[in-house]
Structure formats: C-alpha cells, structure tokens
C-alpha cells in the first residue's frame, strides 16, 4: 500500500513514526520521574527535564487536563491593556486563519503572563482547543498547566516546542505546542508569546520554525507602531514648543517611557521640583503602569504638569509640561470635560438637574447600572442620553473597560456591518489590506453604546441579537468566530414600538433590548432645571472662549423659560454659547437670543412657507422633505440648528438631505424669495 504514497507523504509518515517512537520513550521517562524512580535522561531533552523539575517544585497537579480559565470580565480589560500587541498581531493572525485552515492546528497570542488574548486557526482545532483552554482567557504559565509551549517559553525566555509526552500534566499530553517569545522593540522585554498548537498526531517538527517567523513578523509590526507613535509624540511636543517656547517638554509614550525631551527639560524639571534627578534619556520609564510618575525618579511632580494625549478616546501617551514661570499654569478644569478618559464623564453626578423627572430617571439608571444586561435609553434628541449611557458604564462591572460610542445613523448601510463587526483582509473592494477590527472588538471588556439604534438596518438586526445571546461575532468576509464580552447600551429618539409595528425593527430584538429601559425626559418637562443648566454651562462655555460668564436680563430669562426647547439640553447649551459671544459688557439681552426665542416664534410650529417659483416648496418628498426645507430656512443653512429644530441628529439630517438631493439654504436666496434683491438689507 505504501507504493501508492507520494514522496512527501512518505517523508511525513516517517517523521510521525520517529516522533511516536520517541514519544513512547519520553512517556516512560516521565513515569519514572513522577514516581521518583531513577530517570533515564537519554530520550528527554534537558530543557524538558528542567521544566519538569520546576513543575515538581511548584507542586503542579499532574492530573490537570486543562489550563485555568480567566474570568471573562477581567479578560476584556486585559485585552484592552494589550491592545498594541493585538493590533500588531492582527495581520499575522488574519493570515494564519487562512494558512492554518485544514491543518487541524491553531495559533494563539498571549500576554506576558501566558494568558491567551486571541486565537485563530482551523475551525476543528479551535473548538478542540477550547476543551483544554487553548482559547481566550486560558492561563498557560508552567505553575498552572505544567510544561507547555507557552509557559516554558516564558520560563526560559526562548522559543521551545513541547511534544505530546513531554508535557508535565497528563491531561495535556494529547497535544503538541511550539511557543516563541514576542519582544518589546524598545527595551527587549517579553510582552507575549506566539504559540502554534495541534493534536499530537497532527503536529509537525516545522511548527517551531513557523512560530519563530510569525513572532518576528509581529515584532516588526510593533517596531513600526512604536516608531509612528513616537514620531507623533515628538510632533506634539514640537507643536507645543512653538506655542510655548519657555516651557520644558517631555513627551511620554503609552508605556510611560520618554519619547522626546526638549533641551531645557532636564534642568528646568530639577529646578521646579527642587530635587536632584538622575540623567533622563529617551526610552527611560518615567511613569508607572497606572500613569503615575515614578517617585524614585521624579518625586513631588505636580499633577497638572502631566497632560494626557488622546487618540480615538484612548490615552496614547502624556506630555509633561514644565512651566517657565515658578507658578504652574493649571489646565482649566472645564477643558478636561471633553476628555474621553475623564472619569467625571462617567458619573451620575455629571447629570445636572433637580426636577422630579430627571431625578427619577437617574434613580432608575443607578438601579440597573450594575446589572449585566443591555439597556435601552429613550428620549428626544438633545436630552442627554449619552450622559446617562456613560454614567451607567461608570457604575457597571465593566467600568474599567472601554466605552465605545457608535452612531448607527452616521454611516452608510453598506459600511455599517464592517464598522460594527470589522472585516477580514480583502473582504471588499477598497478594504484595508490587513483587515480591521470593528466596534464590538474595540469595546471588548467594556461597553458599546449604539446611538440611533432605530437606524440599524433590518438585515443586521439578527446579528446584533446573536451577539447579545451568544457573545460571538464574525468579521465581514471571515468565518472565524470571535468571542467578545461587551455590554450593550442602545439609544433612540424613535418610538421603537411603532418601528416594530411598521416592520422596520425586529420584535425579538426590541424585547431583548427593552427589558431594562429608561426614558430621559425632555427639557420642557423638567421644571426648575433650566436655571441649573444655564448656571452649569455659563462658566464652562465662557472659559472655552476666554471670556467671563454673562448675566441674562430678566426679559431674556422670561423668554428662555417660555420656549419649548425642541432641541432640549443641547439646544440650550448652544443658546448659552450664543449669549456669551454676543453679550455686551457681560449682559445678554433679547438681541443675544435666537429669533425664534426672542420673538416667541416656536420653530417647530411654523407653517411651511411657500415662495413663488421655489421648487423646494412643492414637497416632492412629502412631509419629511417639507419639514427639512422649513427647518433649513429658519436656521439660515446651519445644519446643527436645523437638526435641533427637527429633533434629529446632525448626521441623520445630513443623510436625509443627501437622500432628497437637498442643499444648504443660502441666506441670499431667502431674501430673493421674499422679493428683495440680494444686495439689500
């Protein structure tokens, strides 16, 4: 029968025969080792014997048949902590998903402690690996799972392959694994392990070489990432230097290491904190893992000198600004409100109001914040639904994880799936050649806040329902299941019950989302909150424009209280800002208010004007187009103001204008429609 085998098949069979014969001898040696008999070292590699000795010293349980599994809540924050490693590994893992298909093997990435962060490979192997925790959350240190490719590679700091009987724990001997360290490009420390694993009968001696090559690819990607990040940090430092030539500057990367330092920074820092400092150099760690200054290097460093650098809501580094003057210039507290990383944005205390309606809604939200269930937040546009979403996240079990907001109405129907679930390389024309993770994976271990959930296209709703039920996603163009631990907060200004009745929203998804629902009341129903909100916005907006807070006249306040606020709190904030910008001598009177407020004209109640020879007034698109035309005229072409009048978001308005082929109103066109020449006033 062997006559019909190809040369490659014969070589492969010979290799397996050799491995099986050797495995038999190794297994006998292992039995002697664990029983305390004299060990015949000849069939066992020295690296394996030393690992067995470490395992015995650590009292590893020989009967272990799977690695311990990390709690899913902790895994999310761990993945976020190692996001740079996962980002660098994404292209390699994506390629491995194709290469390993049909090979009954899988590839894993771990953190520096041997905890699996991600895994891809042959579908059969991926599912088999879950039985022994060769999957996300598996803890493969030698002290947990005995001799294995991941834990032993960490222990010796080198690439190693552990085949079948070489494993210390009896329940894992049916597998072979090859682990290769991934090194930090700056300091050379081990930041993870790349492992390739397969059932022993499917393993190959080439697994180790493949693991080393793949780990090297990830290290190169990390090097490119690090260079790009440090270049950006240097650019930020130089930009600040141009604006504040007297300050000393030190740019610090996400791991707390110095990426850039101005010439005067060392001397100025020593003078300001009145302490002898070691010589600071590029690459030296200045902040600890929590982002706090290392006291042995820079004791008594004022906190307001350290400013976070943000990208897409994540802290990508810090800028240490050493002021030229002896008195530090504090960063205004209100500037930090816009900071995605500011914990104050994720507290119920950040919601301003004393009315019964808003206090009742806050009490409801606090009750459900700690529950691991989705929440539906309903309310008109501008009422502050995202404030509630952030506060719920801040008091949830995943508060330490990311908060990822996403507007379902802000992207095209064609791109919505790839934005939410990500896509594999080559999934569609124009796709990133390396693929990209979606918002669900970005929010892993935290909260995904879906705004305008009513805009989610009907064909995508079953996928969202499956994520809620199973916690598994598939990237567009990929067939690899990816487990995510994400809490869903959904927001809408629509009546979803009416959307269900109209067949535009699935009833089962609505019931799944609305088990815990809260409704944020509109501003017109929040008696007493108008004054509180004006007092809150006044100093903060004034500070943003380097002006003093204003005082609204009694007449202006009367008109503000009489207005129905179709744009709610967001519209009120814009009105306060307008008052600050147009105020004379710190006084905001009727002239500082928008026309519809100052003269009692409720924009939402205005009749649709008809102008001679105005094709837009013919209402070709029905009442919706007519309402948009009216709002755009009243707002003078200002999209934000028009959206507030209509009670929808700016992105939704823009999309509807594209649908109807509408353009912004031109104020001069309005004059001509009233029969006035454009040059007259």
């Amino acid at each position: 029968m062997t006559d019909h085998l190809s040369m490659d098949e014969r070589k492969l069979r010979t290799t397996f025969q050799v491995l099986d014969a050797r495995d038999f001898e190794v297994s006998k040696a292992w039995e002697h080792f664990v029983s305390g008999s004299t060990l015949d070292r000849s069939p066992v590699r020295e690296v394996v014997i030393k690992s067995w000795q470490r395992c015995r010293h650590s009292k590893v349980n020989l009967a272990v048949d799977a690695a311990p599994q990390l709690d899913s809540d902790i895994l999310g924050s761990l993945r976020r902590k190692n996001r740079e490693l996962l980002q660098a590994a994404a292209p390699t893992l994506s390629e491995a998903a194709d290469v390993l298909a049909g090979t009954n093997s899988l590839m894993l990435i771990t953190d520096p402690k041997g905890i699996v962060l991600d895994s891809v490979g042959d579908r059969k192997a991926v599912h088999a690996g879950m039985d022994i925790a060769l999957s996300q959350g598996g803890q493969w240190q030698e002290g947990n799972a005995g001799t294995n490719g991941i834990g032993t590679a960490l222990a010796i700091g080198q690439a190693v392959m552990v085949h079948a009987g070489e494993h210390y724990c009896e329940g894992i001997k049916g597998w072979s694994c090859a682990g290769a360290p991934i090194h930090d490009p700056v300091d050379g420390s081990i930041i993870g392990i790349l492992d390739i694993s397969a059932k022993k009968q499917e393993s190959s001696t080439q697994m180790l070489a493949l693991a080393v090559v793949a780990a090297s690819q990830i290290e190169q990607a990390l090097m490119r990432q690090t260079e790009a990040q440090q270049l950006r940090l240097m650019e930020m430092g130089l930009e600040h230097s141009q604006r504040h030539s007297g300050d000393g500057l030190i740019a610090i990367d996400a791991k707390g290491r110095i990426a850039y330092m101005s010439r005067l920074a060392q001397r100025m820092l020593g003078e300001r904190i009145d302490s002898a400092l070691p010589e600071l150099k590029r690459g030296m760690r200045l902040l600890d893992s929590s982002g706090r200054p290392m006291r042995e290097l820079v004791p008594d460093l004022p906190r307001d000198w350290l400013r976070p650098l943000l990208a897409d809501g994540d802290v990508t580094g810090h800028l240490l600004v050493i002021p030229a003057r002896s008195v530090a210039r504090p960063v205004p507290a209100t500037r930090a409100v816009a900071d995605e990383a500011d914990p104050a944005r994720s507290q119920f205390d950040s919601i301003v109001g004393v009315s019964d309606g808003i206090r009742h809604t806050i009490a409801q939200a606090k009750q459900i914040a700690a529950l691991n269930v989705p929440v539906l937040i309903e309310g008109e546009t501008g009422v502050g639904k995202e404030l509630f979403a952030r506060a719920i996240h801040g008091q949830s079990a995943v508060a330490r994880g990311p908060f990822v907001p996403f507007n379902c109405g802000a992207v095209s129907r064609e791109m919505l799936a790839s934005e939410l679930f990500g896509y594999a390389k080559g999934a569609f024309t124009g796709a990133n050649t390396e693929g990209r993770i979606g918002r669900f994976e970005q929010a892993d271990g935290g909260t995904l806040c879906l705004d305008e959930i009513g805009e989610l296209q009907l064909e995508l709703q079953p996928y969202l329902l499956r994520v809620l039920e199973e916690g598994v996603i598939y990237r567009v163009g990929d067939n690899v299941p990816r487990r995510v631990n994400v809490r869903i907060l959904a927001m809408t200004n629509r009546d979803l019950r009416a959307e269900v009745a109209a067949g535009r929203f699935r009833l089962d998804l609505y019931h799944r989302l609305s088990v815990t629902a809260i409704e944020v009341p509109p501003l017109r129903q929040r008696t007493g909150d108008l004054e509180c909100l004006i007092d809150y916005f006044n100093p903060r907006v004034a500070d943003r424009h380097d002006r003093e807070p204003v005082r609204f006249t009694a007449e202006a306040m009367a008109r503000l209280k009489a207005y129905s606020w179709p744009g709610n709190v967001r519209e009120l904030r814009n009105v306060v800002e307008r008052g600050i910008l147009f105020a004379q001598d710190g006084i905001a009177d009727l002239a500082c208010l928008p026309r519809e407020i100052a003269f009692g004209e409720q924009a939402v109640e205005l009749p649709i004007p008809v102008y001679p020879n105005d094709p837009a007034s013919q209402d070709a698109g029905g009442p919706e187009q007519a309402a948009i035309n009216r709002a755009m005229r009243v707002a003078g072409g200002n999209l934000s103001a028009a959206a507030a009048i209509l009670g929808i978001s700016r992105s939704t308005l823009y999309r509807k204008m594209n649908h109807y082929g509408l353009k912004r109103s031109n104020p001069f066109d309005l004059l001509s429609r009233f029969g006035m020449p454009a040059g007259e006033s």
Side-chain angles (χ1 to χ4, degrees), residues 320-488:
L320 178 58
V321 181
I322 306 139
R325 297 193 300 272
S326 57
V327 178
R329 294 188 299 276
V331 179
T334 54
R335 304 288 167 85
V337 173
D339 181 349
E340 289 286 341
D342 184 3
R345 298 188 72 190
S346 298
Q347 298 176 4
F348 285 104
D349 290 345
S350 66
I351 301 173
V352 177
V354 295
S355 63
D356 291 341
I358 199 67
R359 303 318 299 175
H360 173 70
T361 305
I362 290 173
Q364 280 188 316
K366 285 182 176 180
Q367 274 188 294
I368 62 179
L371 305 178
N372 187 22
V373 291
V375 180
L376 179 65
I377 306 173
E378 301 176 289
E380 298 175 6
T381 295
V383 294
K385 295 188 291 293
E386 188 172 327
L387 276 177
F388 276 88
R390 288 182 180 277
I392 290 171
H393 168 74
Q395 288 200 10
S396 70
V398 294
R400 293 181 178 273
F403 178 89
V404 178
F406 179 72
N407 190 322
C408 297
V411 296
S412 66
R413 292 172 63 88
E414 296 75 18
M415 294 301 295
L416 191 55
S418 61
E419 286 290 331
L420 283 174
F421 304 112
Y423 57 83
K425 64 175 183 176
F428 50 85
T429 303
N432 187 303
T433 55
E434 297 180 347
R436 195 177 72 178
I437 67 172
R439 303 307 170 100
F440 273 97
E441 288 183 81
Q442 290 177 17
D444 191 20
T447 299
L448 177 60
C449 179
L450 297 175
D451 193 9
E452 296 194 44
I453 189 67
E455 299 286 343
L456 186 66
Q457 57 202 52
L458 194 61
E459 55 266 34
L460 283 182
Q461 292 175 21
Y463 295 96
L464 176 58
L465 185 62
R466 183 170 64 189
V467 177
L468 289 171
E469 297 289 349
E470 302 176 6
V472 173
I473 66 158
Y474 290 84
R475 293 181 185 174
V476 175
D478 198 358
N479 61 1
V480 177
R482 299 174 188 275
R483 184 163 296 280
V484 291
N485 177 34
V486 175
R487 186 185 191 179
I488 300 293

Side-chain angles (χ1 to χ4, degrees), residues 431-629:
N432 187 303
T433 55
E434 297 180 347
R436 195 177 72 178
I437 67 172
R439 303 307 170 100
F440 273 97
E441 288 183 81
Q442 290 177 17
D444 191 20
T447 299
L448 177 60
C449 179
L450 297 175
D451 193 9
E452 296 194 44
I453 189 67
E455 299 286 343
L456 186 66
Q457 57 202 52
L458 194 61
E459 55 266 34
L460 283 182
Q461 292 175 21
Y463 295 96
L464 176 58
L465 185 62
R466 183 170 64 189
V467 177
L468 289 171
E469 297 289 349
E470 302 176 6
V472 173
I473 66 158
Y474 290 84
R475 293 181 185 174
V476 175
D478 198 358
N479 61 1
V480 177
R482 299 174 188 275
R483 184 163 296 280
V484 291
N485 177 34
V486 175
R487 186 185 191 179
I488 300 293
L489 303 181
M491 304 189 297
T492 184
N493 58 8
R494 291 189 178 191
D495 183 351
L496 289 189
R497 291 166 290 275
E499 295 296 301
V500 169
R504 292 187 292 266
F505 204 84
R506 289 177 61 106
L507 179 62
D508 50 4
L509 179 57
Y510 170 71
H511 285 314
R512 189 71 178 86
L513 290 172
S514 61
V515 172
T516 51
I518 61 171
E519 185 171 358
V520 184
L523 182 56
R524 60 183 173 275
Q525 295 177 7
R526 295 172 53 179
T527 305
D529 284 354
L530 182 78
E531 297 90 336
C532 295
L533 288 164
I534 291 175
D535 290 343
Y536 177 81
F537 289 133
N538 201 348
R540 287 164 172 79
V541 176
D543 178 77
R544 181 179 177 184
H545 293 287
D546 291 327
R547 298 196 176 191
E548 293 297 320
V550 298
R551 181 176 65 82
F552 288 91
T553 64
E555 190 176 17
M557 281 299 299
R559 296 296 172 88
L560 291 173
K561 291 178 180 179
Y563 186 58
S564 68
W565 299 105
N568 290 293
V569 178
R570 185 182 299 142
E571 184 183 9
L572 174 60
R573 184 200 178 285
N574 293 340
V575 170
V576 172
E577 185 168 22
R578 177 189 174 103
I580 289 169
L581 295 176
F582 285 97
Q584 297 292 327
D585 298 324
I587 303 297
D589 55 15
L590 289 181
C592 300
L593 302 181
R595 180 181 179 86
E596 63 269 21
I597 299 178
F599 298 100
E601 298 176 1
Q602 298 296 332
V604 291
E605 299 173 0
L606 286 175
I608 300 172
V610 179
Y611 306 111
N613 304 319
D614 180 8
S617 68
Q618 303 305 313
D619 304 336
E624 185 173 66
Q625 181 177 343
I628 293 173
N629 283 329

Side-chain angles (χ1 to χ4, degrees), residues 251-271:
I252 304 167
D253 69 15
K255 293 188 176 180
R257 299 173 301 209
I258 297 174
Y260 162 82
M261 185 167 60
S262 64
R263 289 184 302 165
L264 298 178
Q266 170 95 24
R267 177 178 60 80
M268 292 179 64
L269 184 59
E271 292 174 352

